Amino acid sequence: MRIVRAPTVTNQENLYRRDLTLTVTQGGAGLVLLLLPLVGLLPNEGAGFWIVLVIGLGLLGSGVWFGRATLTYVQNKRIQDRLSETLARHLNDDYIYFRNLALTGQRSIGEIDGVLLGPPGAIVIQIENYRGEFAVEGDNWYQYGRGKAVKPVARPFTSAQIEPANREPRQRLEDSPTWTAIRAGREVKAWLSVRGLPQVAVQPLVILGAGKIRNLKRPSTQVIEFSQLEDYITQNLLAIKPTEGEPLPEVVVEQIAQRLQTNGD
């Protein structure tokens, strides 16, 4: 399998470099200001002490915030590397994997985590590094252990059968990974269509890198944990069912791959 990385520095990499710089500069400056009273370079009382204390805490807090964003990028990159290694280990040269793909003229999604192009078509991959346990209901994602407990609700036609009163609390995520993957899939399909390229089956896929899925109810697109990736490859990529249509010819795969690689208009 061929792996194609972005030819230039991606937006995510630029944000990572910015966040890393702000983590070091603001966090370091805040820490220095907070240490001044301890080393005797600033009185431990008076207005000046409190002003320096507030500024130091603000800078340190800002540095921590940017540090978390930096850590998230590093974790996502590790998952992306593991994903690339797993795909390369199981798939042959019929497949081409595009990492951090930014399509010309498409701005609503930005960079797409990955597009796997091969005989089944194009699989648009959305990688999520959320930790914890989740319930996926349609396009709604809920994280357990946060928010408020769900109140008991009487079942239809009876007041005797009531769901448990102490349901584990959960909180709905503001951003739905399944909906993000679906939008990315639509953008890939539109990009191919506008450029007159052959239309192929486009399948969105969400891969949960670190978390666990406790409940999965009728998601709009396929959702798997990273530990299920090898099974997904075996069942969906290595065994193409006759009902799914003819495999995409190699010449078509190469044609689309060439345009994606150059990303020309």
Side-chain angles (χ1 to χ4, degrees):
M1 187 193 76
R2 304 203 318 252
I3 299 177
V4 179
R5 291 173 171 82
T8 58
V9 177
T10 66
N11 292 333
Q12 292 181 7
E13 289 175 322
N14 284 327
L15 289 175
Y16 164 72
R17 294 176 181 180
R18 183 207 66 179
D19 292 342
L20 182 60
T21 300
L22 292 174
T23 298
V24 174
T25 56
Q26 296 191 9
L31 186 60
V32 169
L33 290 177
L34 294 176
L35 290 175
L36 290 179
L38 298 178
V39 298
L41 297 179
L42 186 71
N44 292 328
E45 56 185 13
F49 167 76
W50 291 107
I51 292 174
V52 171
L53 180 64
V54 170
I55 295 175
L57 288 174
L59 288 172
L60 184 61
S62 178
V64 170
W65 191 89
F66 284 110
R68 292 180 62 185
T70 301
L71 180 60
T72 298
Y73 172 85
V74 172
Q75 292 173 337
N76 287 341
K77 187 175 184 302
R78 288 176 180 173
I79 294 174
Q80 181 73 275
D81 291 340
R82 290 172 56 201
L83 173 60
S84 299
E85 292 171 0
T86 303
L87 292 175
R89 190 165 62 249
H90 290 84
L91 300 178
N92 56 25
D93 291 339
D94 291 338
Y95 289 86
I96 306 171
Y97 181 55
F98 292 85
R99 290 182 53 160
N100 303 109
L101 181 66
L103 296 176
T104 303
Q106 302 294 329
R107 293 293 179 267
S108 60
I109 283 293
E111 291 175 9
I112 299 173
D113 289 336
V115 175
L116 180 63
L117 188 64
I123 299 174
V124 180
I125 299 175
Q126 171 71 18
I127 301 173
E128 290 297 344
N129 197 36
Y130 294 136
R131 297 183 178 275
E133 295 186 330
F134 299 87
V136 182
E137 299 173 1
D139 290 328
N140 296 323
W141 283 60
Y142 301 89
Q143 184 173 13
Y144 287 102
R146 296 185 177 183
K148 298 180 179 180
V150 179
K151 296 181 180 180
V153 179
R155 296 179 180 177
F157 309 113
T158 177
S159 59
Q161 299 179 6
I162 300 179
E163 296 182 6
N166 296 322
R167 265 189 161 181
E168 185 177 352
R170 65 181 194 177
Q171 185 178 35
R172 180 177 174 179
L173 301 183
E174 292 184 4
D175 297 324
S176 167
T178 49
W179 182 233
T180 301
I182 291 170
R183 285 188 294 160
R186 290 175 179 174
E187 289 189 5
V188 170
K189 198 170 187 65
W191 193 91
L192 296 174
S193 177
V194 167
R195 284 151 185 82
L197 293 169
Q199 290 300 294
V200 300
V202 177
Q203 309 169 43
L205 171 67
V206 178
I207 299 178
L208 193 58
K212 299 293 182 182
I213 301 171
R214 187 186 298 184
N215 295 312
L216 190 63
K217 296 180 180 179
R218 299 183 297 277
S220 298
T221 187
Q222 193 159 3
V223 180
I224 63 172
E225 300 173 7
F226 192 91
S227 60
Q228 301 169 325
L229 179 58
E230 292 189 1
D231 291 337
Y232 173 85
I233 293 173
T234 301
Q235 298 170 10
N236 296 274
L237 303 182
L238 299 182
I240 302 177
K241 301 175 182 179
T243 56
E244 296 174 348
E246 293 295 328
L248 202 61
E250 183 179 353
V251 63
V252 176
V253 172
E254 288 294 338
Q255 181 184 2
I256 297 174
Q258 182 63 30
R259 292 297 296 275
L260 285 175
Q261 191 165 357
T262 59
N263 213 345
D265 288 329

